[in-house]
Amino acid sequence: MFPQFGATAESLSKASTAVFRIGTDAHLYDDPDDVNIAPLLDSKFDSEKCEALKRLLALISQGFDVANFFPQVVKNVASQSLEVKKLVYLYLLHYAEKRPNEALLSINYFQKDLGDTNPLVRAWALRAMAGIRLHAIAPLVLVAVGKCARDPSVYVRKCAANALPKLHDLRMEEHASAIEEIIGLLLNDHSPGVVGAAASAFTTVCPNNFSLIGRNFRKLCEVLPDVEEWGQIMLIGILLRYVIARHGLVKESIMFSLYNKDHSNLDEDEHYVTSKEDAGYATEKTVSELTRTIFQCYIEGPDEYLSRSSSTIKVAPKLDESQYTSCSNEIVKILLQCTSPLLWSHNSAVVLAAAGVHWIMAPKEDVKRIVKPLLFVLRSSPASRYVVLCNIQVFAKAMPSLFAPHYEDFFIHSADSYQIKELKLEILSIISSDSSISFILKELQDYIRDPDRRFAADTVAAIGLCAQRLPKMAITCLEELLTLIRQEFLCGEIRSLDGEEGVLIQAIMSIISIIKLEPAIYEKVIIQLVRSLDTIKVPAARAMIVWLLGEYCSLGEIIPRMLSTVLKYLAWCFTSEELETKLQILNTITKVLLCIKGEDSWTLRKIWTYVIELAERDLNYDIRDRSRFLKKLLSSNLESQNVEEENGESQKKDQKRVVAECIFGVQTKTSTVPSEPINDRFYLPGSLSQLVFHAAPGYEPLPKPCSLPNIDQYDGSDKSDLDEVDDSGTSGSSDEENASDYSSERSISGSSEVSGSNETVSGNEGENNDDPLIQISDTSNVNENQNGGDHAGTSGFSDLMSTKSLESWLDEPSKSSKGSETEQSGVRRSSARITIGNIGSRIKPKCYTLLDPANGNGLMVNYSFSSETSSISSHLVCLQVLFENCSLESMFDIVLIDEDSSKSVDSTDQISQAAENTVKSHIDKPALVSMEEIPSLEPGQKAKRTLLVRFHHHLLPLKLALFCNDKKFPVKLRPDIGYFVKPLPINIEAFKDKESHLPGMFEYVRSCTFNDHIVKLNKESNSLTEDTFLVICETLALKMLSNANLSLVSVDLPVASNLGDASGLCLRFSSEILNNSMPCLITATVEGKCSDPLIVSVKVNCEETVFGLNFLNRIVNFLAEPPVTHS
Amino acid sequence: MPPLMAIEFLCRVADVINGYLGGLNEDSIKDNFVIVYELLDEMIDNGFPLTTEPNILQEMIAPPNIVSKVLSVVTGNSSNVSDTLPGSTASCVPWRTADPKYANNEVYVDLVEQMDATINRDGVLVKCEINGEVQVNSHITGLPDLTLSFANPSILDDVRFHPCVRFRPWESNQILSFVPPDGQFKLMNYRVRKLKSTPIYVKPQLTSDGGICRLNVMVGMRNDPGKTVDSVNVQFQLPPCILSADLTSTHGTVNILSNKTCTWSIGRIPKDKAPSMSGTLVLETGLERLHVFPTFQVDFRIMGVALSGLQIDKLDLKTVPYRFYKGFRALTRAGEFEVRS
């Protein structure tokens, strides 16, 4: 049945295990559909139902779709057998999202089960109900969760806590406060198990609602050791964030000492332990700067920090003293105290989380207590070993002295994976110190002989790094590397060992990096290397040695003397060299020529000419180009020494010479350790982002220190709550009290803003009203203001937060979207995305005739739909109406009014009143809002009016009456469904996300032919300036935008397509329906040749089926229409 | 969610399934797919671990055993899902089964140690440490409170505890005080660093010339630990540049697999004479000498000795007035024991 498994489960093993399989469910897995499942499901015996469900489960696990059994399975929710229930839940959760309507059938049973006496039944019912994830039942689930959060059973309460993130996923903004209230209740639970689950819910639902934590801080700290390990991980993170937001950073921590000081007084600082202990570190300053970067990254997030540091303003916003607290602060003490025993946890994730807290918050002297636990964690599974090493690497970078005594733990085992070996090598080179370097070097020498040559090459690089860090050891390291190179000669002859080349190249690179430190000392080394040119055959290695010669050609005594010999040798073997070596030889000889002045210069020039001549005839383009360039550049240099030139000429030559010297600049200056800009990104210890070196979704840096003002001194100092909740049975009642406390608090903070007139508005929005950043235009339209809704959860809290953090919090969405965009572009390689500029200005909405001059006594009325949207109500469509008097007499009192209302309404005053009515009610809606009367219209004069119209139906025309000179003209206003939507400016990711939520029955596709571009192409065929693809894109986009009120999301061009084949071109538009703000997404995909009529298949994703279909038809119609000839 | 948490959870899932099915492989999962489904559903909810405590899980979902299998064959009824919520979900010691009853109360404490050692190319012991576990198998009626103390806790370099261990007594007096889970569990892990010697020695010698390499490996007891060293095994990977190998041993068997892994199983080291393996390796054509050298991984087992020297002082039972039987054992295995050549 499964060929891919055939090999493992051979008949032999089957026979031998047959005995063990008796009584298991193996037979159900092997032949799940050998009996008819349907009747079994309807059986009255639980055992038969069970068997049927197991068979279904087997089919699911084998990848079959058995959703068609859904109705029958759902019925069995009512079963009394717990096993049947469990199996049904498994099935239900697997298919509920596919069959939402049928899943609703099960809700009643869940409701019933929630009242069951067996806690297990209650818990499972809640889990399944929340797991179905249907918007329709979300309010029911919320009620159920609220009830279960006060359940006497711990297990049920725990499941209630776990259900909250599921509810949060449904994006029920209006219930956000209720969800947070429940979290607050559960965080205050007396059972540690519940607190752990609540902590996890807190992290997903409202990670910044610190008021919930503040109330229980002390209690949470006390309970931390008893919380389940998984909850501990979450809780540690929450507590850390709270303390930083509330009390700021710790003065005694490494963070403070390096974060808040200038470099200059760093060394004098008596607190600065590292500088005293390890005076040997050459790169002391780099280390401290690195630490600064790391912590800055923790607080600001690396993207923000790096973007600022790369710009010219490099001034970090200094934190003032007030944002720091001392470690003698009670709260900090409690935090450190309650997390330190967790360093002994058997769960490595807990250890790492606790270590992170100590790393950031503990006084410098105490940070070392995290070292041993971290190293011990290295003994757990290989996968976690990698994660821990990644984190240790950062710690070690910031504070090498921490891990320096424990270098043995980073010695490499042959069984380690390559990634782990790489990390260990890097850590070893970071933490090497004067006392340990000899041991480390000895160990590294062993690694060089490892059969894994890639690893050996890395080892050689690590030796180079060690030498750079510890200049005292540089000579020893160099000796080591030189002997290595001499050894490598032996196998240098053999080409087959490609790994050796890597080692050799790496060795020479390491040597060069050591020489750079202090070239003057290492003159002999350079000579030795140059001598070995004869034996080293690897082109890259040769190239590097040749470069070295050119770089230090004027160094010391011996090198200048041997130059001519060496260059002669190089010229002699030039033709047999590889490309890179040849280029390097050219460069070197030129360099030598430029900086050596002496008796040799004549010989040198001859060699140079010879080599240039050889190079000019080389087979390779690059070498020929290089030689010509050098010849031109240096020709003047050579000539000027021979022939006297005129003044003007020579000046030019001089310039050339200067250029040449700049390019091949004689670098006699000793280059110090290159202090590379710190470009590494640092994320919080233990986070996924730290592992992958980019901000993973959901990553948040630490909160701004002291962003939580001291308005409410909770910190759980009022112990009254704690004492109350001792009794396990009656915890519900005391919990209730807390909850009511809480809600009253909220309402106090919010009540001042809630205005009485907004009856339909929920409390959250009321709170938003005072916030000028979020504007709510229409009260009846909650969804329209999605942004506002998103923030509603935290906005009640916004008055507590400083404006700075508020701003950063408002900025966040845009940043995150940017990040995801770049990710996206990495994934989609097959198509290019282009933007069409200034298309907006070229949109010409179509004009319709409302009244013909022939029928209207010379009055011509045209109208076009406008892309504006009404500010009064979202139900109104805007029209531009153009009145023109084509007659010879002037006209008076022109007004357009609704046919029906014209019977009763006479004055315009009442019409304007009606405008207000439209807002209030949907039922008796007058069709027309207001139109300013045109008092008079002279012959030939034109007048423009904006009309706001409410169409009763998006297809049926609206009957209006046009009064002019007291004459009534019945006119019909035809709606254009293209303007029943308004642009929804979103980016491509949001588009795709929305699109994925509207599959299946919400997706409609039709095709049509598109001709517009042909006219345009023909028109512009003689001018080859425009790309045909662009023309197609533009015409298509223009046509869409001129006929419907859309916003262009993206234009995807196929990259791999043939020239002239437009297939694959894809335009995306987005809009939302005016009266209910549902998104309506349009994707137009083009097929066919550029020059022929194209087939455009249009896809509309819209939740409102009827509207969507009509909209699609409209789009297809206007796309197929012949192009409007532009005047 | 931190990545380490996910890794740790997956390890826990593997442990639990291992405990249920007695092995984690494709066949065992296929044969018990219903149990695996039920377990996973109970262990994780919406991406967050729900119940991971093996004791509770075993009460909720019965592990397959002979009795239930036979019963299911006979009666055709095979519910392995418990009808009631395990009581321990509510207790403050969730790892303990609510109220176990035993006729014989007994506690077995095992010290299981792994020796990690690295011997470099010069034959110097670079690193030698012990990673040990205290494994406890307890069968005690009621809710016992045990204390375990060591004679020499100062040698412990670092420790990690099962959640049942109370932190305070350890911090103050280095005493392990805990309410044990029922059955087998890992009470603590410990580490003893910087040991001075290994119980056995392995001395590889490689000399190469003219395209041929001579290999000679000697294995022997260094200082007799008083117990027999058995299951000795030396394994190494031949470097890629070796074409063929011909190895013989004076004791035990030599096995070379197609992926150039060479295993020398010695078994018990004879008292009288140190076993050795020797032979020739043929190098790739054109290669005169060997320039890369294999690392030898050594495996051994010593029963009855904890090489770290850790000694259990006493084990006391509080709160429950029964007499109970105490048993102590020790075992040392090789962990990452490497000899470079």
Side-chain angles (χ1 to χ4, degrees):
Chain A
M1 196 177 352
F2 293 104
Q4 73 269 31
F5 295 152
T8 54
E10 244 5 292
S11 53
L12 177 81
S13 68
K14 274 213 170 122
S16 65
T17 53
V19 183
F20 301 107
R21 295 168 57 134
I22 294 172
T24 65
D25 299 316
H27 63 288
L28 299 176
Y29 190 88
D30 291 344
D31 310 295
D33 40 7
D34 65 343
V35 293
N36 198 350
I37 294 175
L40 284 178
L41 279 173
D42 292 333
S43 155
K44 58 185 173 189
F45 300 109
D46 280 342
S47 60
E48 287 187 353
K49 284 181 188 172
C50 225
E51 191 191 326
L53 286 164
K54 283 178 180 176
R55 285 176 191 277
L56 286 177
L57 214 54
L59 285 167
I60 290 175
S61 61
Q62 290 167 18
F64 294 99
D65 185 8
V66 288
N68 50 329
F69 290 100
F70 203 94
Q72 279 175 293
V73 174
V74 166
K75 268 191 319 196
N76 288 317
V77 175
S79 164
Q80 283 305 306
S81 155
L82 258 85
E83 182 162 36
V84 173
K85 258 191 212 300
K86 182 106 194 165
L87 293 170
V88 171
Y89 289 156
L90 283 173
Y91 179 93
L92 202 60
L93 293 184
H94 194 262
Y95 283 115
E97 264 172 298
K98 268 191 201 164
R99 315 283 291 253
N101 295 328
E102 281 138 319
L104 288 177
L105 297 175
S106 55
I107 300 303
N108 279 335
Y109 296 114
F110 290 142
Q111 298 269 41
K112 207 178 113 216
D113 278 356
L114 282 172
D116 201 284
T117 46
N118 186 345
L120 204 57
V121 175
R122 293 200 297 270
W124 283 359
L126 182 71
R127 280 179 63 191
M129 197 166 157
I132 288 179
R133 292 167 200 258
L134 293 178
H135 271 278
I137 58 158
L140 287 177
V141 179
L142 187 65
V143 173
V145 172
K147 203 176 122 196
C148 289
R150 295 173 177 87
D151 198 278
S153 161
V154 173
Y155 187 72
V156 178
R157 292 207 297 276
K158 201 165 140 188
C159 287
N162 275 331
L164 288 169
K166 299 181 196 169
L167 272 177
H168 177 72
D169 285 349
L170 291 177
R171 305 237 160 274
M172 305 199 307
E173 276 78 24
E174 65 272 27
H175 297 307
S177 65
I179 293 178
E180 287 178 31
E181 191 180 322
I182 297 173
I183 291 178
L185 174 69
L186 291 168
L187 276 175
N188 201 19
D189 201 282
H190 65 274
S191 163
V194 182
V195 175
S200 145
F202 178 89
T203 323
T204 27
V205 177
C206 50
N208 292 318
N209 189 354
F210 290 119
S211 62
L212 290 180
I213 303 300
R215 190 137 2 104
N216 301 321
F217 182 80
R218 267 166 215 274
K219 201 198 135 198
L220 288 175
C221 283
E222 273 166 31
V223 93
L224 183 63
D226 298 326
V227 171
E228 274 184 323
E229 44 200 319
W230 317 111
Q232 277 174 349
I233 301 166
M234 296 292 163
L235 198 53
I236 291 170
I238 294 171
L239 294 176
L240 173 65
R241 278 167 192 278
Y242 168 75
V243 172
I244 288 183
R246 175 78 175 70
H247 297 276
L249 301 167
V250 177
K251 260 183 204 155
E252 289 85 351
S253 72
I254 6 172
M255 206 155 175
F256 175 79
S257 60
L258 300 164
Y259 183 79
N260 214 21
K261 282 193 178 76
D262 294 328
H263 299 230
S264 51
N265 60 11
L266 205 71
D267 298 300
E268 286 113 53
D269 185 21
E270 53 178 359
H271 289 295
Y272 189 54
V273 182
T274 38
S275 68
K276 294 201 159 181
E277 281 180 2
D278 331 290
Y281 290 123
T283 48
E284 199 54 60
K285 272 189 183 163
T286 335
V287 169
S288 65
E289 185 155 346
L290 197 77
T291 319
R292 267 160 53 96
T293 316
I294 291 173
F295 285 117
Q296 198 96 37
C297 282
Y298 284 167
I299 289 186
E300 294 181 25
D303 298 315
E304 200 182 318
Y305 175 70
L306 287 177
S307 67
R308 204 190 54 231
S309 60
S310 60
S311 64
T312 46
I313 320 145
K314 219 177 167 176
V315 185
K318 286 242 172 112
L319 300 178
D320 50 7
E321 286 288 316
S322 66
Q323 281 177 299
Y324 285 94
T325 179
S326 152
C327 70
S328 54
N329 184 318
E330 194 68 10
I331 296 301
V332 178
K333 239 185 205 165
I334 293 175
L335 176 73
L336 292 176
Q337 235 164 36
C338 74
T339 48
S340 60
L342 297 183
L343 291 171
W344 292 330
S345 169
H346 74 152
N347 186 322
S348 52
V350 177
V351 176
L352 189 55
V357 171
H358 282 255
W359 173 244
I360 294 168
M361 297 302 279
K364 247 189 313 271
E365 309 80 62
D366 290 354
V367 172
K368 55 179 176 290
R369 66 187 306 169
I370 70 172
V371 174
K372 279 185 178 179
L374 278 178
L375 293 175
F376 198 16
V377 168
L378 281 181
R379 274 289 297 181
S380 37
S381 69
S384 62
R385 189 179 303 181
Y386 177 74
V387 179
V388 177
L389 277 174
C390 278
N391 285 289
I392 289 181
Q393 187 194 14
V394 177
F395 296 155
K397 264 186 191 165
M399 217 172 153
S401 59
L402 215 52
F403 292 91
H406 300 272
Y407 59 90
E408 278 177 6
D409 283 297
F410 302 105
F411 284 177
I412 284 148
H413 292 288
S414 57
D416 288 339
S417 70
Y418 176 70
Q419 286 82 1
I420 290 180
K421 285 178 181 169
E422 215 182 355
L423 268 174
K424 280 186 171 174
L425 275 181
E426 199 181 335
I427 295 173
L428 273 179
S429 60
I430 291 170
I431 63 171
S432 59
S433 65
D434 288 336
S435 53
S436 63
I437 184 69
S438 54
F439 298 103
I440 293 177
L441 263 184
K442 191 93 196 120
E443 187 74 7
L444 291 179
Q445 283 169 27
D446 272 8
Y447 301 156
I448 293 173
R449 298 211 241 161
D450 196 276
D452 182 355
R453 298 321 279 166
R454 188 160 58 135
F455 167 52
D458 286 347
T459 308
V460 173
I463 294 178
L465 280 176
C466 285
Q468 283 176 50
R469 278 183 46 77
L470 304 167
K472 283 184 205 162
M473 294 306 291
I475 293 178
T476 327
C477 294
L478 205 59
E479 288 296 318
E480 185 57 40
L481 291 169
L482 283 171
T483 33
L484 177 70
I485 287 177
R486 264 181 245 122
Q487 281 172 354
E488 297 295 338
F489 299 165
L490 299 172
C491 19
E493 304 291 333
I494 301 151
R495 273 294 92 91
S496 62
L497 300 165
D498 46 342
E500 297 315 317
E501 294 184 13
V503 178
L504 182 62
I505 293 168
Q506 195 52 255
I508 291 180
M509 273 165 75
S510 293
I511 292 177
I512 289 177
S513 67
I514 297 173
I515 291 177
K516 266 188 197 164
L517 293 175
E518 227 167 327
I521 313 176
Y522 303 116
E523 194 193 352
K524 288 223 173 88
V525 179
I526 299 174
I527 295 166
Q528 209 174 343
L529 277 180
V530 171
R531 285 224 173 110
S532 63
L533 268 176
D534 227 7
T535 39
I536 291 176
K537 296 283 182 267
V538 184
R542 288 178 72 87
M544 276 190 288
I545 297 175
V546 173
W547 174 86
L548 196 68
L549 181 72
E551 191 71 9
Y552 300 108
C553 59
S554 55
L555 188 82
E557 297 279 303
I558 310 164
I559 295 178
R561 266 188 274 154
M562 62 185 275
L563 270 175
S564 60
T565 327
V566 177
L567 292 183
K568 265 182 211 160
Y569 162 76
L570 288 176
W572 170 71
C573 60
F574 184 81
T575 42
S576 56
E577 296 288 353
E578 291 290 320
L579 170 65
E580 46 190 331
T581 322
K582 278 179 180 171
L583 288 174
Q584 229 25 272
I585 291 176
L586 280 173
N587 283 356
T588 298
I589 295 188
T590 315
K591 272 187 208 168
V592 170
L593 198 62
L594 276 172
C595 66
I596 294 294
K597 310 273 182 303
E599 63 270 36
D600 286 344
S601 62
W602 188 78
T603 335
L604 288 173
R605 211 170 306 144
K606 275 200 113 172
I607 298 171
W608 184 78
T609 335
Y610 174 69
V611 172
I612 289 283
E613 261 173 41
L614 277 181
E616 272 180 326
R617 282 156 191 79
D618 201 273
L619 283 174
N620 189 291
Y621 289 106
D622 283 347
I623 293 173
R624 291 204 299 270
D625 284 354
R626 178 76 59 97
S627 66
R628 276 186 215 115
F629 164 71
L630 291 176
K631 201 176 177 182
K632 281 268 178 250
L633 198 63
L634 266 81
S635 57
S636 61
N637 187 25
L638 298 176
E639 283 160 19
S640 65
Q641 290 172 6
N642 294 334
V643 195
E644 283 299 311
E645 295 278 340
E646 290 157 46
N647 242 357
E649 275 288 285
S650 71
Q651 213 162 30
K652 214 164 154 192
K653 301 271 151 109
D654 276 347
Q655 280 172 2
K656 270 192 185 174
R657 194 192 155 84
V658 170
V659 170
E661 274 181 1
C662 277
I663 295 175
F664 297 100
V666 198
Q667 297 182 357
T668 40
K669 60 179 188 291
T670 52
S671 55
T672 49
V673 189
S675 57
E676 311 150 27
I678 303 154
N679 274 328
D680 292 346
R681 287 153 175 264
F682 297 101
Y683 297 89
L684 286 175
S687 66
L688 178 62
S689 309
Q690 177 58 49
L691 213 58
V692 295
F693 295 114
H694 65 79
Y699 176 80
E700 266 191 70
L702 289 176
K704 296 268 179 298
C706 295
S707 53
L708 196 69
N710 300 358
I711 294 174
D712 23 31
Q713 288 275 1
Y714 325 106
D715 287 344
S717 42
D718 46 344
K719 289 252 180 177
S720 57
D721 279 5
L722 305 179
D723 304 331
E724 269 181 324
V725 288
D726 277 337
D727 193 356
S728 64
T730 59
S731 74
S733 63
S734 61
D735 287 347
E736 289 251 335
E737 269 177 35
N738 284 325
S740 62
D741 266 311
Y742 171 49
S743 57
S744 69
E745 230 170 274
R746 277 188 76 83
S747 63
I748 288 165
S749 65
S751 63
S752 57
E753 282 99 38
V754 177
S755 59
S757 61
N758 292 343
E759 283 135 3
T760 52
V761 180
S762 69
N764 292 326
E765 273 187 304
E767 287 171 18
N768 271 343
N769 276 349
D770 66 320
D771 193 340
L773 289 165
I774 303 163
Q775 283 174 2
I776 296 165
S777 58
D778 188 3
T779 49
S780 66
N781 203 346
V782 177
N783 286 336
E784 187 185 297
N785 230 295
Q786 279 200 336
N787 236 0
D790 258 329
H791 298 314
T794 35
S795 66
F797 180 55
S798 65
D799 49 342
L800 296 178
M801 303 203 318
S802 65
T803 46
K804 191 170 150 199
S805 60
L806 183 71
E807 269 162 26
S808 69
W809 155 70
L810 283 170
D811 282 341
E812 245 167 30
S814 63
K815 245 187 290 159
S816 64
S817 70
K818 218 188 285 166
S820 56
E821 205 164 52
T822 50
E823 272 166 52
Q824 193 73 26
S825 64
V827 178
R828 294 184 52 96
R829 270 179 219 97
S830 57
S831 65
R833 193 155 290 151
I834 57 162
T835 47
I836 303 178
N838 69 353
I839 199 160
S841 60
R842 288 156 59 191
I843 296 169
K844 284 202 180 126
K846 220 171 166 185
C847 223
Y848 302 90
T849 311
L850 189 66
L851 187 68
D852 210 47
N855 297 333
N857 287 349
L859 178 67
M860 185 167 80
V861 185
N862 286 335
Y863 66 94
S864 61
F865 287 88
S866 124
S867 57
E868 289 167 32
T869 48
S870 156
S871 55
I872 301 171
S873 159
S874 60
H875 293 259
L876 299 172
V877 178
C878 280
L879 290 124
Q880 294 284 344
V881 188
L882 187 71
F883 297 85
E884 187 176 354
N885 189 350
C886 300
S887 71
L888 299 169
E889 294 157 25
S890 53
M891 296 171 177
F892 302 99
D893 302 336
I894 305 169
V895 71
L896 255 177
I897 55 167
D898 193 355
E899 172 92 301
D900 304 329
S901 59
S902 71
K903 287 163 191 163
S904 56
V905 180
D906 292 320
S907 70
T908 47
D909 294 19
Q910 280 180 326
I911 294 170
S912 67
Q913 255 185 1
E916 284 171 19
N917 284 338
T918 52
V919 184
K920 281 180 190 156
S921 62
H922 293 199
I923 307 139
D924 58 332
K925 41 195 176 184
L928 200 60
V929 177
S930 61
M931 190 200 117
E932 211 183 312
E933 200 183 58
I934 302 170
S936 72
L937 204 61
E938 296 302 317
Q941 197 188 353
K942 290 179 187 176
K944 222 179 204 175
R945 287 288 180 271
T946 305
L947 205 62
L948 294 172
V949 186
R950 174 197 300 278
F951 288 98
H952 295 298
H953 191 270
H954 49 251
L955 290 180
L956 302 179
L958 190 69
K959 283 181 187 161
L960 295 178
L962 178 70
F963 286 93
C964 171
N965 294 348
D966 290 337
K967 248 189 203 166
K968 181 182 161 191
F969 299 96
V971 289
K972 275 185 183 173
L973 196 63
R974 296 195 177 276
D976 185 344
I977 194 169
Y979 289 89
F980 280 70
V981 292
K982 68 173 180 203
L984 177 67
I986 51 175
N987 61 4
I988 178 71
E989 281 73 32
F991 183 95
K992 286 192 175 151
D993 180 49
K994 283 207 160 88
E995 193 181 26
S996 64
H997 289 126
L998 296 169
M1001 60 185 291
F1002 301 131
E1003 187 173 291
Y1004 334 102
V1005 186
R1006 269 188 72 182
S1007 301
C1008 63
T1009 51
F1010 183 68
N1011 292 317
D1012 282 25
H1013 62 287
I1014 297 177
V1015 183
K1016 189 115 186 248
L1017 282 176
N1018 289 340
K1019 216 190 280 176
E1020 288 171 346
S1021 58
N1022 40 4
S1023 64
L1024 290 164
T1025 48
E1026 283 216 64
D1027 183 45
T1028 45
F1029 279 103
L1030 271 181
V1031 173
I1032 294 172
C1033 291
E1034 273 184 16
T1035 45
L1036 190 58
L1038 209 57
K1039 185 102 179 185
M1040 292 288 280
L1041 296 176
S1042 320
N1043 284 287
N1045 201 2
L1046 305 171
S1047 103
L1048 180 60
V1049 175
S1050 74
V1051 180
D1052 284 3
L1053 273 181
V1055 167
S1057 70
N1058 305 325
L1059 205 67
D1061 186 5
S1063 301
L1065 183 69
C1066 174
L1067 280 80
R1068 295 190 178 84
F1069 303 88
S1070 66
S1071 61
E1072 59 182 13
I1073 302 173
L1074 274 182
N1075 53 15
N1076 54 13
S1077 298
M1078 283 182 186
C1080 189
L1081 312 172
I1082 298 111
T1083 314
T1085 319
V1086 177
E1087 254 179 84
K1089 287 258 189 301
C1090 286
S1091 48
D1092 298 338
L1094 297 168
I1095 303 204
V1096 181
S1097 82
V1098 183
K1099 189 180 80 175
V1100 172
N1101 292 70
C1102 178
E1103 213 167 322
E1104 197 156 306
T1105 325
V1106 181
F1107 184 88
L1109 276 173
N1110 286 324
F1111 194 38
L1112 178 65
N1113 289 340
R1114 170 74 194 136
I1115 293 171
V1116 169
N1117 282 340
F1118 71 64
L1119 280 182
E1121 271 174 25
V1124 193
T1125 45
H1126 295 286
S1127 50
Chain B
M1 187 194 284
L4 209 48
M5 179 170 164
I7 293 168
E8 193 72 28
F9 176 75
L10 288 174
C11 293
R12 198 64 55 85
V13 171
D15 285 349
V16 167
I17 293 181
N18 237 327
Y20 264 76
L21 311 181
L24 181 57
N25 56 48
E26 191 183 315
D27 285 338
S28 67
I29 288 181
K30 273 203 281 193
D31 290 354
N32 299 286
F33 71 100
V34 177
I35 287 183
V36 172
Y37 260 107
E38 287 167 351
L39 273 177
L40 287 178
D41 184 56
E42 192 53 47
M43 289 185 78
I44 193 157
D45 184 15
N46 193 35
F48 191 77
L50 180 66
T51 312
T52 49
E53 198 50 57
N55 270 308
I56 301 180
L57 283 172
Q58 296 207 345
E59 274 184 71
M60 290 175 117
I61 300 152
N65 56 33
I66 297 296
V67 180
S68 76
K69 279 178 186 173
V70 172
L71 206 69
S72 77
V73 171
V74 175
T75 62
N77 182 13
S78 62
S79 174
N80 50 8
V81 178
S82 154
D83 279 353
T84 50
L85 187 69
S88 44
T89 50
S91 79
C92 53
V93 279
W95 51 86
R96 181 143 184 97
T97 316
D99 221 0
K101 295 230 171 2
Y102 293 100
N104 303 320
N105 290 301
E106 47 196 14
V107 179
Y108 296 98
V109 181
D110 296 351
L111 295 180
V112 179
E113 303 197 331
Q114 288 199 329
M115 176 175 261
D116 290 0
T118 307
I119 293 157
N120 74 3
R121 299 203 200 281
D122 304 340
V124 178
L125 186 64
V126 173
K127 171 184 159 185
C128 183
E129 62 177 48
I130 293 276
N131 279 286
E133 279 176 14
V134 180
Q135 291 180 351
V136 178
N137 195 354
S138 97
H139 297 282
I140 303 178
T141 312
L143 198 69
D145 198 334
L146 293 171
T147 49
L148 178 69
S149 57
F150 297 108
N152 47 354
S154 57
I155 65 163
L156 299 178
D157 190 66
D158 199 18
V159 285
R160 289 167 76 184
F161 298 122
H162 187 274
C164 70
V165 177
R166 300 189 184 94
F167 293 127
R168 292 262 160 72
W170 178 261
E171 267 178 301
S172 48
N173 304 322
Q174 311 224 293
I175 289 171
L176 290 167
S177 159
F178 57 100
V179 177
D182 208 36
Q184 180 88 30
F185 71 101
K186 206 165 74 184
L187 180 69
M188 74 180 266
N189 291 50
Y190 59 87
R191 189 160 105 134
V192 180
R193 292 175 74 221
K194 301 206 194 252
L195 266 73
K196 292 286 173 280
S197 73
T198 56
I200 61 168
Y201 67 84
V202 175
K203 286 183 179 161
Q205 269 187 330
L206 284 102
T207 47
S208 56
D209 203 13
I212 287 184
C213 174
R214 297 201 55 79
L215 170 77
N216 182 37
V217 186
M218 296 258 290
V219 177
M221 308 278 279
R222 178 159 276 138
N223 32 14
D224 205 331
K227 306 272 177 180
T228 52
V229 181
D230 57 6
S231 311
V232 180
N233 209 356
V234 178
Q235 194 182 335
F236 63 99
Q237 181 84 35
L238 293 171
C241 56
I242 284 175
L243 287 181
S244 67
D246 176 28
L247 299 169
T248 50
S249 64
T250 59
H251 192 273
T253 54
V254 183
N255 218 336
I256 303 175
L257 299 178
S258 58
N259 62 355
K260 290 190 175 169
T261 309
C262 179
T263 318
W264 176 26
S265 339
I266 300 167
R268 185 171 299 181
I269 295 179
K271 288 262 187 266
D272 47 344
K273 149 166 158 293
S276 76
M277 173 177 70
S278 59
T280 52
L281 310 172
V282 179
L283 304 183
E284 224 167 51
T285 44
L287 205 63
E288 282 286 295
R289 288 161 198 267
L290 201 60
H291 63 288
V292 292
F293 297 92
T295 303
F296 296 79
Q297 277 131 16
V298 184
D299 205 6
F300 61 83
R301 197 177 63 174
I302 309 173
M303 301 291 286
V305 171
L307 281 181
S308 64
L310 185 71
Q311 282 171 347
I312 294 172
D313 186 28
K314 58 181 176 189
L315 177 67
D316 288 330
L317 177 61
K318 277 190 232 159
T319 67
V320 184
Y322 311 117
R323 290 174 55 79
F324 72 109
Y325 176 77
K326 296 181 261 190
F328 303 100
R329 277 189 304 184
L331 167 70
T332 303
R333 270 198 223 108
E336 292 168 332
F337 195 108
E338 291 191 341
V339 182
R340 301 202 188 108
S341 59

